[in-house]
Amino acid sequence: MYRKTLAGALAFAGVLSAQWLNYPSHDIPRTGDGKPNLTAPAPRAANGKPDLSGIWKQPNGVKYTINLAADLKPDEVQLQPWAAELYSRRQNTLSKDDPVGHCLLPGVPQMAAVPYPWKVIQTPGEVVILFEAFKTFRQIFTDGRSIPADANPTWMGYSIGRWEGDTLVVETGGFNDNTWIDTGGHPHSDALHVTERYHRRDFGHMDLQITVNDPKAYNKSWTASYPVELMADTELLDYVCEENNKDLPHLVGK
């Protein structure tokens, strides 16, 4: 099921950038021929920290959407028995029960890996991320607050951030257990805690490192990483997800 779903996502993603091709962004450095200079220095906010604002997208298609651990060795992701059995069942049924197929939110960390752009808006006390996919958002509070001790479980969790040098470190907890780590079916429990590290290397390139810590589902935490790239001269477009009422009953897996 996830192969079919993501193939459709890729087809749409390949069209969207051309729709805004002639709409230049006013705050992007350019080379002598007018093209975006994506290797220019990263912009800085008033506090001297990198400004992560912009429209970003991970450039590897659905690789990390399907399997966040795609670059890791098998022994680096140690599932507990119940989680291993659930992951195997999801794999053997070709992810036919993937919540995304029912138009439910992918959650964190999958949200940043889908092949659709996301827009960062950085303010002094908060970083907001607007996602084209599923037309949803995240609020990352950088004003010193903590994750609520007894948070009402949510699909996207509660996110707080702090700066370590030029890297924004984001801690997210308070999840429900309805989402999947990736479309391939890596599970998690309500004890999931995700740590993300955003490092903008230059104007057009950022590294995203993700650590999954869930003592109920994994024997140890594990870390994946992938690059994301700035999408210049474009904007987010409308996104509508319609329930797959006709297709879902026929997606029976292997």
Side-chain angles (χ1 to χ4, degrees):
M1 183 234 174
Y2 63 81
R3 292 171 183 167
K4 178 179 180 181
T5 301
L6 293 171
L10 277 176
F12 182 84
V15 174
L16 62 88
S17 61
Q19 296 178 12
W20 289 83
L21 191 62
N22 296 318
Y23 195 86
S25 303
H26 70 279
D27 55 354
I28 290 181
R30 298 185 181 274
T31 59
D33 57 3
K35 294 181 179 179
N37 182 3
L38 300 184
T39 60
R44 299 273 171 174
N47 63 0
K49 298 300 182 182
D51 188 347
L52 307 185
S53 299
I55 297 178
W56 301 89
K57 180 181 172 184
Q58 70 88 3
N60 293 288
V62 297
K63 176 180 179 180
Y64 301 106
T65 318
I66 294 174
N67 184 8
L68 180 61
D71 297 333
L72 304 183
K73 297 177 181 179
D75 63 352
E76 293 184 77
V77 182
Q78 297 184 7
L79 290 154
Q80 295 193 12
W82 74 266
E85 191 278 332
L86 178 57
Y87 180 62
S88 178
R89 183 163 71 246
R90 290 172 175 176
Q91 287 278 295
N92 289 334
T93 56
L94 298 181
S95 299
K96 71 180 183 67
D97 297 318
D98 181 3
V100 174
H102 297 263
C103 297
L104 298 173
L105 291 178
V108 176
Q110 187 184 161
M111 201 73 237
V114 300
Y116 292 86
W118 33 277
K119 184 175 187 176
V120 176
I121 302 172
Q122 185 170 322
T123 71
E126 182 179 2
V127 176
V128 176
I129 305 180
L130 306 178
F131 296 95
E132 181 173 287
F134 296 88
K135 210 170 185 179
T136 192
F137 65 92
R138 285 180 73 186
Q139 292 175 277
I140 301 169
F141 297 101
T142 56
D143 56 4
R145 72 181 70 185
S146 302
I147 297 174
D150 189 20
N152 184 38
T154 67
W155 292 78
M156 300 292 285
Y158 297 83
S159 297
I160 60 172
R162 68 183 186 277
W163 288 97
E164 292 184 359
D166 285 346
T167 299
L168 178 65
V169 181
V170 180
E171 307 280 354
T172 307
F175 295 100
N176 61 35
D177 59 0
N178 296 326
T179 63
W180 296 8
I181 294 291
D182 47 38
T183 310
H186 279 107
H188 71 81
S189 74
D190 58 1
L192 174 66
H193 186 96
V194 176
T195 302
E196 300 159 286
R197 303 178 68 89
Y198 295 82
H199 181 76
R200 189 170 188 171
R201 287 183 279 120
D202 54 25
F203 197 90
H205 304 89
M206 184 159 60
D207 296 319
L208 176 53
Q209 183 188 84
I210 300 163
T211 298
V212 173
N213 183 21
D214 186 345
K216 291 184 180 180
Y218 298 89
N219 293 327
K220 63 178 183 177
S221 62
W222 52 279
T223 299
S225 60
Y226 53 80
V228 292
E229 296 180 354
L230 186 78
M231 295 185 68
D233 300 336
T234 190
E235 192 49 84
L236 302 184
L237 296 180
D238 209 4
Y239 180 106
V240 176
C241 184
E242 183 179 357
E243 207 61 56
N244 296 322
N245 295 325
K246 295 181 179 180
D247 290 336
L248 287 174
H250 304 290
L251 299 175
V252 296
K254 292 182 181 179

